[in-house]
Amino acid sequence: REINRRVQKFTDIPREFSRAAQRREELAREAEKAGHEVEAREHYFIAATFYTNAMWAIYEDGDATRNAWGEKKRACYDKVIQFAGRPIERVELPFKGKSLSALLHLPPRIKAGEKVPAVLYIPGMDGVKEDNPLYGDPFLERGIALLAIDGPGQGESRARGIKCTAANYEEAGKRACEFLSKRPEIDASRLAIMGSSMGSYWGPRVAAAEPRFKACA
């Protein structure tokens, strides 16, 4: 509410969200130094979200400030991974000579040798792979692994020069499917897709191009 009060025009968005992100990052460091890992985790998560919001309103590719906030977002989320109390892994998916960044979330109570189903999460056009909830993820709570990706034009992919075209998300989905199929914890016969916003358009296209996905929502 305080950020909304201070935003009077579109160009205020980066300034106000970056200020709020920096404050949260400071609070996170203070909590971490004091040994309060749960509090630190929550502050780092919100800081990463606010840095994402600050970046959203800058459209120019290669903008130095935008790229710097992207690095801060990644650093804050690395701290989320450190204090998550459950398995989260950074993943790189090969894509046209470059790579797409992703996050693999495994269920917290997965047993040794167990194979679990997995969902590929496709965010919206302005979404990022860090969009997954910090607590109460509906897939993880049901014992389902989740692979969230920055597809072409999304999140870190944009900074890497990987732009969205009319049809290149299908290949991104195939690379994600190949990765999941090779993971020892994943049951390759039970793979699905969940897309939100623009991801609800890309999801069916990926499912149509990659028959190893058995469901799409």
Side-chain angles (χ1 to χ4, degrees):
R1 287 195 298 268
E2 184 63 21
I3 294 172
N4 287 342
R5 185 185 66 79
R6 293 196 300 267
V7 172
Q8 300 298 314
K9 55 186 181 297
F10 188 84
T11 53
D12 294 340
I13 292 173
R15 181 192 67 231
E16 296 304 330
F17 270 106
S18 64
R19 285 178 177 175
Q22 289 165 7
R23 178 56 181 154
R24 283 286 187 162
E25 192 175 2
E26 291 169 2
L27 292 171
R29 290 198 195 99
E30 292 172 7
E32 181 180 1
K33 186 176 181 180
H36 302 153
E37 293 187 0
V38 173
E39 186 176 354
R41 175 177 65 209
E42 293 177 354
H43 282 310
Y44 278 124
F45 179 80
I46 295 171
T49 300
F50 283 173
Y51 278 124
T52 298
N53 291 344
M55 295 166 65
W56 172 81
I58 298 178
Y59 296 153
E60 292 78 18
D61 288 330
D63 182 88
T65 301
R66 189 183 195 279
N67 290 342
W69 287 338
E71 291 301 317
K72 282 183 169 288
K73 179 199 73 169
R74 186 179 178 94
C76 286
Y77 204 86
D78 280 340
K79 288 292 187 178
V80 174
I81 293 172
Q82 179 181 340
F83 298 130
R86 57 180 175 84
I88 307 175
E89 298 178 24
R90 287 198 178 276
V91 173
E92 293 293 331
L93 305 173
F95 185 82
K96 297 183 181 295
K98 299 182 180 180
S99 67
L100 303 172
S101 182
L103 291 167
L104 176 65
H105 301 257
L106 295 173
R109 292 174 295 278
I110 190 169
K111 300 174 184 176
E114 181 182 9
K115 286 184 176 290
V116 299
V119 165
L120 168 64
Y121 170 55
I122 301 178
M125 179 68 79
D126 295 312
V128 294
K129 63 187 178 305
E130 293 86 0
D131 280 345
N132 297 97
L134 183 61
Y135 301 121
D137 185 285
F139 297 108
L140 297 175
E141 288 198 344
R142 288 166 171 79
I144 300 171
L146 190 78
L147 180 67
I149 67 170
D150 280 341
Q154 296 171 306
E156 294 180 42
S157 299
R158 180 176 164 190
R160 299 176 182 186
I162 304 173
K163 298 185 178 183
C164 176
T165 70
N168 64 352
Y169 221 106
E170 288 96 311
E171 182 174 344
K174 288 187 176 187
R175 300 291 84 78
C177 183
E178 290 169 359
F179 168 79
L180 289 170
S181 297
K182 294 175 183 177
R183 289 288 300 211
E185 314 94 328
I186 304 301
D187 183 349
S189 68
R190 292 189 292 168
L191 302 180
I193 299 169
M194 193 276 283
S196 65
S197 193
M198 189 66 178
S200 66
Y201 167 74
W202 287 322
R205 291 191 64 134
V206 172
E210 179 46 80
R212 286 176 288 184
F213 286 113
K214 302 300 175 62
C216 180

